[in-house]
Amino acid sequence: MAERISGREAEVLAALGSRLSNAQIANRLHVSVRTVESHVSSLLRKYGVADRWALAELARSEAPELGRVVGLPASGTTFVGRDAERADVLAALAEARLVTLLGPGGVGKTRLAAAVAAVAGALFPSGGAFVDLVPVRDGFVARAVATALGVTEGSHQPLADAVAARLGAGRSLLLLDNCEHVIDEAAAFAERILAACPGARVLVTSRERLGVPGERSVPISPLPGSDAEALFHDRALAADPRFVADPEVIADLCARLDGMPLAIELAAARGASLGATGLLAALEDALRLLSGGRGGDERHRSLRAVLSWSHDLLDEEERALFRRLAVFAGAFDLDAAVAVGGDRAGVADLLGRLVDKSLVVHLRGRVSRWRLLETVRAFARAQLSAAGEEDETGARHLRWAAAAASGLEGRLGDPAWREDFDAMAADLRSALATPRSPCEVTHRLASALAHLTFARRHLMESFAHYRTAATVAPDAASAAADLRAGAGCAHVSTTSNQHVFELLLEAAEQARRAGDQRGRAIDLARAVETACRFPEAFETDVSRERLHGLLGDAVEAAGRGDGPDDPGVAACLAVARAWLDGPDRGAPDAESAPAALAAVRATADPVLISSGLCAAATAALRAGRLREANRITRERLELLPSMDRDDPYCAPEICNTYGRACVYAIMAGDLPGGMAAARAGMDDDLLRDTHITASRLVQPLALTGRFRDAIGHAERMWDQWERAGRPAPLWMLPAVCTTVLACGMLGEAEPVALWRARAGEVAGGTLLATAAVAVFVDARLAVHDGRFDDAEALVRRAFSVGTPLDPYLAYARAAGAELAVAAGLPEAAELLASASASAFAEENGWAAACLARARWRLHGDRDELARALEGWERLDAQAERDRTRALPAQAG
């Protein structure tokens, strides 16, 4: 068994999940930092993970217990036999990273795999998940795994990347059960995880191999005689505690059932009524009805015989419910069964009888659910088809799915809704995917499922459902609403803002068809705003002429409706005009932005207000008013709690606000604000703790002197980036360079070299030489280390790189000026005066403190030293404060 963690270790683990530093944990638990470090080291060893960030992920997951594999099916019966096979599988998992249990349906692969996972905790201290793929359709394997692990998508984060980040580098076990119907997708997913997660093992049950390199196959045979007889006896006693039979009869019965566990269990369930001798006679009759000799297909032949015989023993009511239950892809509750089967009392009684006969499995929990095993369901489906009831039962299933999804929409505030959604999601998807003519019920299901999957953070799936809903909508107004929601979803789930733009234009056209002039005006205005405010992700350019035409159409539509008297329409038009009238894309017009802000403040819509604030903040930024831009963006942050996290309409503003808040805080030198915004973004499930969000936190941590934390988050960022397949990395440059700063300030040469190499990998040599953040780091470290050999060239670079909107321009200028002074360059006074006279210098808190310190270095003015110390204190820049305090003594 895996080593247990102590109560104190559990407290430390929980604190790590809240992303507290060792010092913060020590203060909370009233212990020393050294004691915390000891507990962290112990947890790293016990869980077999590489760093504290992996421990934090475990703490935040649903499986912080050592070796816990979530989702293992509970069983009310004993596990019989298979000692040798269990040992073989454990040995295979110790040697191979992908192990497949091969065998026909009903041979016991699932039960054996679950038994192995239950005892394998010592091998897999990071735990893992059991994933039942029986109800899973093509395209949803990653989704099923993510749901089992409690993982959701973040903005622009593919689901497979989120799963890989959750599994990390620790030793974990992923059990994929019943892969044969999604074999290609399961194989590709397994390869992806094995490549990204070096400590992961994948255990598969299937009727065929995945065909992945390195796969180890373990054939699972029927039970040998003694184990088969023990299984029969155990299950027969469960059905009838007074059951007795001649051992020779049981042996003969099990031999005729070919040792197939499912066939044995079905037969044993009838032991109470027929006795062993009666069972044997009935089985002989059933086998004679099947043509063909006893050959390679005999295992299937005997199982089909038992199923047919068990079915024939049902009364007509039991048969009717049994075959109709085949419509359910996954587990179902009583309401679902009633929807396809009849009155509530009658269905409840029939379910109990079918459970007693082992044809239906009862799953106990907060809500009682039932399911048909895969092989049994296939038989029931054949019965449903033979009865000619597929269409009627499918229609009932669709009506149930639409009603159930709509009901869940009304429960989004209930913490239990996610569990209930996960339990029925496969059937909601199945009902929607079944080919039918578009109708109101289909649209209701598609629209509700889109909303639910968005709220569950299945973002790409949600987007697809919104498109489906618009396609099957019974009227243009409904289609417009679906397209609007789909546009909000697309903004955070796809990488194409052009897609968002086109969806809004589609919504506007549907609104026109519906006679909704207000909706059309808003859709057109938002499309113009999207093209001008978010131009960076458009595959083809949208001409300014076309955008002016679209805004003109929006104004015309508004005139046909309530026009300027409608605050929402007026606000959308004003925001669109502010962005369209700007000097270039991404830059609003300085004169129009205040009018847009006044218009949005006249509404009670936090999303509209946030969009107007964004225009005002961007205008202030481009005018050099960094602190004003930062202040306005903090106001946007304050609006976020009032935005509905389950509504796609709010999603673009939520994500944009966090991103802008981090960048603007860095530009203004508001390091505490930048750190708070970065942490809030990492904790928001729309963004998640990804390599993108981690990069935002690295920078203020390094700039405030929290060097160890900065390096730890940077390692986490780099690891997540690699697990994501190393996508376009340029945005990581500021975080990578400030990690160089953290390592250099600690005097650690090897990490400095490593992160410098990574900076070169991210940016390339030419870009790295001209990036303001890289020049800033080089200049600051030169001052810190007293290395002035190339000070003149470095200072020249500091005053020549960057653009007015570069977040690190002020840092580079200030650090360059201080280097000029420290190195005693002849033009130091002139450079310092030039940097100090820049509007960006006083607008940036870090630069202002650095320049005050440089002026003290040059002139010895104690007031400047005090001003610098006050600035560092205000920014909570601990390392800079301490080094500044030490300067007078060093100078003396």
Side-chain angles (χ1 to χ4, degrees), residues 68-354:
R68 182 185 173 206
V69 178
V70 298
L72 280 177
S75 179
T77 58
T78 55
F79 183 74
V80 176
R82 302 285 194 196
D83 291 340
E85 288 96 331
R86 184 160 37 181
D88 288 344
V89 176
L90 285 169
L93 283 170
E95 298 172 359
R97 298 190 60 207
L98 173 62
V99 177
T100 300
L101 308 189
L102 289 174
V107 79
K109 303 184 297 297
T110 296
R111 192 68 189 272
L112 174 59
V116 167
V119 300
L123 276 175
F124 308 107
S126 293
F130 177 100
V131 186
D132 178 15
L133 296 181
V134 167
V136 175
R137 296 170 37 238
D138 279 333
F140 287 89
V141 169
R143 175 82 58 226
V145 176
T147 298
L149 287 168
V151 170
T152 57
E153 292 171 72
S155 175
H156 307 304
Q157 181 192 35
L159 196 59
D161 292 353
V163 172
R166 163 64 181 85
L167 293 175
R171 298 193 301 276
S172 57
L173 176 67
L174 193 59
L175 201 164
L176 304 179
D177 187 41
N178 289 291
C179 290
E180 50 276 345
H181 63 298
V182 287
I183 193 76
D184 292 337
E185 186 182 349
F189 180 80
E191 280 196 285
R192 170 77 178 85
I193 293 302
L194 292 173
C197 306
R201 296 288 189 274
V202 179
L203 178 61
V204 166
T205 74
S206 180
R207 299 181 190 182
E208 60 178 299
R209 297 177 76 255
L210 266 61
V212 172
E215 180 180 15
R216 176 80 62 86
S217 298
V218 180
I220 305 303
S221 302
L223 290 170
S226 58
D227 285 348
E229 293 154 23
L231 176 65
F232 180 90
H233 196 257
D234 180 85
R235 301 305 191 257
L237 284 174
D240 179 8
R242 295 173 297 178
F243 176 84
V244 292
D246 186 334
E248 292 184 1
V249 174
I250 293 178
D252 192 8
L253 185 65
C254 290
R256 289 179 178 273
L257 293 171
D258 301 301
M260 291 292 284
L262 179 55
I264 291 170
E265 296 204 13
L266 288 168
R270 289 291 186 173
S273 58
L274 296 178
T277 303
L279 285 173
L280 184 58
L283 179 61
E284 288 176 342
D285 290 341
L287 284 169
R288 273 195 292 270
L289 292 176
L290 293 176
S291 60
R294 299 176 72 86
D297 193 41
E298 182 52 40
R299 297 166 186 172
H300 295 93
R301 179 174 177 268
S302 60
L303 183 53
R304 287 201 307 274
V306 175
L307 283 168
S308 296
W309 163 64
S310 297
H311 177 262
D312 290 344
L313 292 175
L314 300 176
D315 64 30
E316 186 50 45
E317 285 186 319
E318 292 169 338
R319 290 182 192 177
L321 180 61
F322 173 65
R323 65 178 176 260
R324 291 167 187 167
L325 294 178
V327 76
F328 291 107
F332 51 87
D333 61 12
L334 182 58
D335 288 339
V338 168
V340 301
D343 69 278
R344 193 174 189 84
V347 167
D349 175 61
L350 290 170
L351 276 174
R353 284 148 61 180
L354 291 172

